[in-house]
Every structure is written in structure tokens, then in C-alpha cells.
Amino acid sequence: MTGFALIVVTGAATLAALHIRSQRDFALAKERYLENSQAASRATAKTVEDALHAIYENVRTLTYLPSVQNLDRHGTNLGEEGRATIQQIYNNLANNVSISEVYFLPLDFDPDRFDPVTGKLEEPILQFDQLIVNARARIDATSAKKLATLDDQSLTRPPEEVETYEYHELARQLAWLKANYPTSSNIEGLNVPIIGTKELITCDNTDFIHSGNDADRSGFILSVPVFAADGSLRGSVSAIMLTSALRKLLPSADYVIVNADYGFESDQHRLSTSLAADTSSFTAPDPNLIYSEVIPLSLNDPRSAWRLWAGFPNSRFENDVDVQSVREFELASYAATAIVTLLALVCWYAIGRTMSMQTEAAETLERRVDERTAEIQHLATHDILTGLPNRGLLADTMDEALRSLRDAEKLAVHCIDLDRFKPVNDTLGHPVGDELLRAVAARLKQQAGETAMVARVGGDEFIILQLLFDGDDQAGALASRVIHALSSEFPIQGHTINIGGSIGIAVFPDDGQSSEILIRNADLALYKAKMEGRGTCRSFEPGMDARLQERRLLEAELALAVAKDQFVLHYQPLHDAETSKLTGFEALVRWNHPRLGQLPPSEFIHLSEEIGVIDTLGEWILRKACADAAQWPLPVKVAVNLSPAQFKQQGLPLQVASALAASNLLPSRLELEITESVLLADNEHTIQTLHSLRDLGVSIAMDDFGTGYSSLSYLRSFPFNRIKIDRSFVSLMCESSESRAIVKAVADLGSTLGMTTTAEGVETEDQYRLVKENGCTDVQGWLFGRPMPASELTALFEAPRALTA
């Protein structure tokens, strides 16, 4: 109970601390909001103040114009240049600060007096938006007599006389200037006063007389004195500034432009009365608002002060981002504290419950630890994928077995490597490959029995430890069973997979005294088995180590052979089967080895593919063959063999194009030979590369046709130019009717598909006769010439008859 009470007290204290923190954050948020509101209000006040200053300055500019100061009573002395200047300044006012109308009044202006010159009531000399306007022209057509004079209180007058009320307001402004500023000496420096009058402007809008509402035409009259050259007052310039123009200076209805002495408020008909205590004046801040301030505007108005009233409602503050963030944090903190307190209570209950069952829990934990320890130990010593012992457990088992063997007992080490496993991963994917490895492990365990141990030591590498009780033949019998088991089909995820395996065997004590030496020697025997054709078993022999060292030395020498220019090309001729005419040569590479003499391709091509030298060597062969062929007479062609490894690089078409360009050899004189192993993966990249090569204009030939499993499907996947029939069929044509039938079928197939067929390995006249009779179009073999250096071809070309075999 003490624990429960402590948790509850802690939770309550945390809530109290969070409440204090939230109140402090709320106060800070309010302080920031008020600071931001004040900054925004001051910026708005500055905008309004600058706009009104601009109006004052433009109106004052008009009073300084000589064309205005020298006007006569009726403005008849105003020239075109003066009119243009006045109009330009007025346009600036109208366009930039929304001034409605601007007037010039002479000093003795009286709107109730008839002008003896015009015979009409007096008007301002100029309305700058129309220049010279006859204010009574619209009623001249009627002979109606003026019904009444203007009544300032009731504003009851005929509609046609509404405009004259403006003139009375202008006259009162002028009278005030006459009384307070009779000469310019009353003005200090350039501090020209501007006086205003309250919002009583109608501008021909009779609706204002009856309703008092005129949102668009209500506004302010501002007057500026005009002095003559001698400093005496000549009159005034007055401008009408609309209320709607003032509203445009304000960003929202939260601001009001106020002149209390004139009774002017810019938004008195739009602002909600609920926001302020007295919306008719706006002369003081409103304590009912979250923020309210009256900001004085610095304007040169000698009769009254201008101010900007700003007031933001509480709802604006509540919707502020900072305030909402504080509120959300406060609520989230309360919720989190409550949840944590509840969880703490639950946990405390669970702990108490657990402590009451401590003995049972300890026993359960100990059992689980033992199970987990056993599982970890198994994972540390076994392969995760197949469940077989791994390399570490294998080494420990071998060492223990070697120590415990009796004098007559032996131990055989079988190193097993799967054949053709990598294409399964590449073509069918790793999930299929993983399931295949599990199936292989099951078959190996089945064949090994109870007296042997199977371990997985690499990707597709396995080792079997076998106790020999009946001599070394027992090891060979197990190897034969394993090879047979691995050569059988594997049904995996709907695929029928054929792989196979090669095995190398080393036996204790004959082939080694330690586990490391036995595994190394078994691996050497495995290498020998794979070199001799795969799917076989070989036992360790003492000379295998020396051969491995020789191979490693050969690998190092091969890596430097291209740079040392140790390779040469020999060329074997190809002839037309019907005419025996020379049609081209096949380029065959030779390695002039400094120790071993000249080596054929069979001695190093496969090795160059394994160590990654084939790309450099293949490019050299291609460039050299093109350069030599460029020296031959037309239309003799050259054929170059491409390794499957060369198709893995992305730039093979570019490499071929570069060789053609460097040698100036016509693409039609180059033929590239590939084997079906290039198409084994049947991937889009290989087919795309072949089409790119064909687009260069070169020919593509399939070499050793008929020796693979799916040759006919390859002819369908890509349209070859030539089919080369393997020498294994040609060599048996004289003895085997089946070989003759195969050669004829391939020749007929090539004819049907529009492909040239070349019989390889023609060595006798009878073979030549048979391939020609069975439809082959070209022949190649020792009967027509052995591979020869490029230097010997010159003599062949110089003897025209030699071009025909």
C-alpha cells in the first residue's frame, strides 16, 4: 500500500508542476503575442502615416506651382503648359492615393453668391480632375428656381443642389485659413498646415442626406493655403480623400483610423460593436480585448489629431499557434502523466505479483536459459540454412577422431563441390538455390549413413568424414553413391533441376597427419576432378600439390602477359564449300610463354576467365584481328571468338565499334563467334547486347552448334548469320549415318532460316565431299589449311590461285 500511495502522490505532484509550467508558458506566449501585435500595429500605423504624408506632400506641391499662384478670378490665364502640370500632379494623386477630387478656391470664394461674369453661383476656379468645370451646367436646361439655402443641421435641400454643400465646406475651410494664416509669415519654414473637416461629403449622392450611409463617397476634405509672391493668402487647394481609400491602407477590420475632433472613423459601419466598449469614438484602448491600443499618427493637422485604433479579440489570441501549442502541450502532459501513473500502478501490481511467485519464475527462467544456451551452442556449431555441422564443428570432430583412431582404422575426407549450381542462383533466384542446398544436404546425409559426418563449409561446398573399416575401397564406394545421388533430378518449387557434383578424397594417415593437411589435400583432389570434366571423383596424389603451385604461377604470368605483348594471332582459313574459294579467316590466339613455349587457347582461355583477364585479352584480340584484316583484300572476312565472360561487361558493343573505327575495317567484314553458353542465362542483357552488335553491321555466328542442350531454342531467340557445326559430327560422317543425318538436318535448317552453315574440322577429301553433298555452305579444317601467322597470309594473297583450295 505504501508503494501505491507513493505513486499516486508522485503523479499528483507531477500534475501540479506541469500546471505551473503550463501557466508560465501561457504567460510567455501571451507576452510574445502582445509584442507581435504591437509590432504589427506600429507597422500598420507607419503605413497609414506614410500614405497620408504622401497626400499632404502632393497637395502642397500644387500650392507651390506658379501656374496656380498666378491664377486670375476665373482661371482664364491658365495656359496649356500649366494645365498639363496641374493634371499630371492630380493624376499622381488619383492613381496612388485614391484622391477623388481636387479644387482651387480664390480667397473671396462664396458659394451663395452669384458670379456677375458667369451669371451663376460661384464655383471653385478649378476642379483638377476636370480642369475647368461648370458646376451648374446640368441644371441650365431647367429654369427651376433655387428652393432653399443649405441647412447645415437638417441637410434638406433639392437633389440638384447637393454638390453645392461641398462648396460650403470648402468655404468654411478657407475662412478658417483666412483667420489663422492670413500671410505666409505665420508658417514656420516649410511646415505648411493642412486642415480637415468631418465626414459630411455627398458628391451628388442624395441617399446620404436621408440615410447618412455613404460607404463609397464619404470621406474627408483637406485644405492647404496658397500664398502669393508677396506672402499674402490667395486661396487654398482642397482635396477630397475617400473613406474607402483609407480602408485600403488597413490590413483588416481590427484597425480603425480615427479623428475624434472631426468625429471621423474609417470603419464605423463595418466593425462589430461587440469588440469595443465605445465604437463611436475609439479614443482609448478597450480592456475587453486581448490587445487594444490607440497609436498617434504624426501628421501636420493644426485643428485635430489623427490616430490609429487597433484591437484584437480574444478569439484571435486563442487561435494563435503558440497558444495552441501551449494548450496542446499542457493537455498532452496531463494525459501522459495520468497514463504513466496508471502504468506505474499496474507495474507495481505486476511486480508484487511476480515477487509472490519468485520461486516458480526463477525455475522457469533457469530452464529457458538452458534451452537458449543449447540453441546458441547449436547455432554456433551448425549451418543455419541446412542444419549440418559447420567448419568449426568439423575441425573439432576431425581432431577428436584423429586422436581416437585405432591402429587399423582410417579416416577419409570427401570434399564435395556442386556442379552448375551458380546458374541456378542466377536464373531461378536465391530462394530456389537455398531450397536446393537443403535438398542436397538431405541426400548427402542419406548416403553417408550413421558412420559418417556431413558438414557444409561454403556456399556449395560440403565435406564428409568417413571412418574406414574395410580399406580405401569403402571411400570410393561412398563417393560413387554421392555422385549418383547428386546427378539425379531435384524437383524444387515446380522446377526440375539437374546439377551434379565433383569429389576429392584424402585418407588419413596416407595423405596427411592433421585435419588441415587432409582438407587441403582433399581440396587439391577436388580441383583435379573438376579440371577433368566434373561429375567425377579423384583421390589425392602427391604430385597434385606441385600442379597447384604451377597453376598459381601460371595465373600470375597470365595477368602480365597482355602488358608484355606475349600473345599472337594465328588465322585458319574458311572456304566456300561449292567453289573452294577463300572467304575468310578465323582468328585463333596463341600465348608465347617464356617458360613453356607456345600455348594453345585450351591451356589458358578458361584460366583467364576465372581470374578476370579475359576482358583485357579479348579486347586485344579484337583490335589486333581488325587491324590485320584491314590489310587483306576485299571481301575476305575475319571471325573473332567472344568469351561468355565478355558479355557480362556493359560496354562490349562500344568496344567492338572502337576496334572497327581504329582499324577502318568495314563492319561487314567482321564476324563474331559465340557459343550457346553465352545464351545459357537467356537474360535480356545478353539478347540486347547481341542486337546492339548486329546494329553495328557485324555478323554473329553460333559456334560448336549441336553440342549443348537447347541449341534450337537459341536459334529462335536470336537470328544468327552463321551456324558452325561442331567437328565431333563432321569427324564421324564417313563412319556414322547418324552423324551425316545430323549434319544434313542442320544444313537444311540453316538454309530454311537464311543462315550460312560451316562444317568445322574437315580433314579428308571424303569428309569434304560429304559436307558439300549434305548442303553445308562453308568448310573449315586442316584439309584447307592449318592456323598460320599473319605474316604468312601475304604470300597467300599475292598468289591468286592460292585463294582457291
Side-chain angles (χ1 to χ4, degrees), residues 80-110:
E80 290 298 329
E81 182 177 355
R83 291 170 185 260
T85 303
I86 294 171
Q87 187 69 56
Q88 182 178 0
I89 295 176
Y90 169 73
N91 290 341
N92 182 53
L93 280 166
N95 292 336
N96 293 296
V97 292
S98 297
I99 290 295
S100 175
E101 297 178 19
V102 181
Y103 300 98
F104 177 78
L105 288 80
L107 183 63
D108 59 346
F109 173 66
D110 182 359

Side-chain angles (χ1 to χ4, degrees), residues 11 63 134 214 255 455 494:
T63 67
N134 187 346
D214 187 9
Y255 299 93

